[in-house]
Amino acid sequence: MNMWNNVVNAWWPLLFYKATDAPRFTKGMIAMICVSVATLWITWVVWYLERREKNTKQQYFEEKDR
């Protein structure tokens, strides 16, 4: 995970925020919006899966205690 962060930090400005695109970094803005939406979606998926796993374990232990 840390390696991915370093790769993004190193290459993101070179690919999406070139000085020739200033002052309107259209490619950079579009890329940032897409990454933000993907991050929100992945966060929701992780939250949902964690909640589902917790409920499944809770049901399993309740049935086992009967």
Side-chain angles (χ1 to χ4, degrees):
M1 196 158 95
N2 194 24
M3 181 183 71
W4 175 249
N5 184 36
N6 290 336
V7 169
V8 169
N9 285 336
W11 289 99
W12 192 269
L14 297 174
L15 295 175
F16 296 112
Y17 291 100
K18 296 178 184 177
T20 57
D21 294 340
R24 297 177 187 214
F25 298 101
T26 307
K27 289 188 283 186
M29 305 253 182
I30 292 170
M32 187 60 67
I33 290 169
C34 293
V35 168
S36 297
V37 169
T39 300
L40 289 172
W41 184 78
I42 290 171
T43 302
W44 181 82
V45 168
V46 169
W47 173 80
Y48 173 77
L49 292 174
E50 183 179 3
R51 187 173 169 203
R52 187 177 76 171
E53 181 182 10
K54 181 180 175 183
N55 289 338
T56 303
K57 284 182 180 180
Q58 186 177 9
Q59 288 175 357
Y60 173 76
F61 286 120
E62 285 177 359
E63 289 176 4
K64 190 175 179 183
D65 289 340
R66 289 183 186 179

